[in-house]
Amino acid sequence: ADWSVEDLRDVLEVAIQGAPPEAVRVVEGRYLRKRVREQCAYAERYGEPFALVVLKLAVEPAEGDYTRCLDALVERLRRSDMMAIYKRRLALLLPRVHPTGVPALLARVREAVDTTVGRSVIESAPVALFPDPQYPETQSMLDWLEDRLRPDDPS
């Protein structure tokens, strides 16, 4: 089989850390993009929707707010969920989330973070759902994610 550099890195990480890939919840950006591609293929094949959420944190969080925010999210992630960190933004990949459940899910995320941090630190939380007519294929989801992770994105 042909192995990409990312595949080899993933195998080595598992070998070194001794944890199965599905137990890794906070991942780096390239791995998240790979998982988004896989999730799109899975959703197209089996019809199970998923959501991408990008949490934009306050411009200048107080000392320790960022760590407390991460802790609150990691504690509440499902085994199948993933999170990637990019500057003051947190990207969440949430498999098997039905579109009607997203508002309640976001409310619980905001409440958990606000309670743990002690104040509101989430400025915005844009969401993309797949499948959705607005994002009909894998590349449109990846483009949406890249746009929301960009520091100059207003959302």
Side-chain angles (χ1 to χ4, degrees):
D2 293 330
W3 290 59
S4 70
V5 173
E6 291 84 15
D7 292 333
L8 292 173
R9 190 198 70 248
D10 295 343
V11 169
L12 290 173
E13 282 179 5
V14 170
I16 291 169
Q17 295 175 359
E22 56 272 8
V24 178
R25 294 179 172 188
V26 181
V27 299
E28 62 100 19
R30 282 183 292 176
Y31 187 73
L32 179 70
R33 288 174 191 86
K34 176 183 173 185
R35 289 302 306 259
V36 168
R37 283 187 204 96
E38 291 171 356
Q39 196 63 43
C40 285
Y42 188 81
E44 287 171 352
R45 178 178 285 162
Y46 298 109
E48 288 195 10
F50 72 94
L52 277 174
V53 179
V54 176
L55 302 175
K56 180 181 176 187
L57 302 184
V59 176
E60 299 205 19
E63 176 95 23
D65 284 355
Y66 194 71
T67 303
R68 286 191 289 276
C69 179
L70 291 175
D71 291 344
L73 291 170
V74 168
E75 282 179 11
R76 287 158 181 86
L77 288 177
R78 298 172 301 173
R79 191 173 179 91
S80 60
D81 298 341
M82 286 193 164
M83 178 172 46
I85 303 166
Y86 184 76
K87 300 194 180 183
R88 290 181 0 264
R89 296 167 196 263
L90 305 170
L92 305 175
L93 171 62
L94 308 170
R96 294 181 292 285
V97 171
H98 197 273
T100 58
V102 171
L105 173 71
L106 284 178
R108 287 193 308 271
V109 165
R110 282 183 184 271
E111 181 183 355
V113 170
D114 292 351
T115 301
T116 302
V117 175
R119 64 185 180 91
S120 180
V121 293
I122 298 175
E123 285 184 5
S124 65
V127 178
L129 301 167
F130 190 89
D132 185 291
Q134 192 173 0
Y135 310 107
E137 76 279 327
T138 302
Q139 191 57 50
S140 61
M141 286 298 284
L142 291 169
D143 291 344
W144 181 90
L145 179 62
E146 292 299 323
D147 290 345
R148 295 313 166 286
L149 291 177
R150 209 174 288 136
D152 59 347
D153 178 59
S155 63

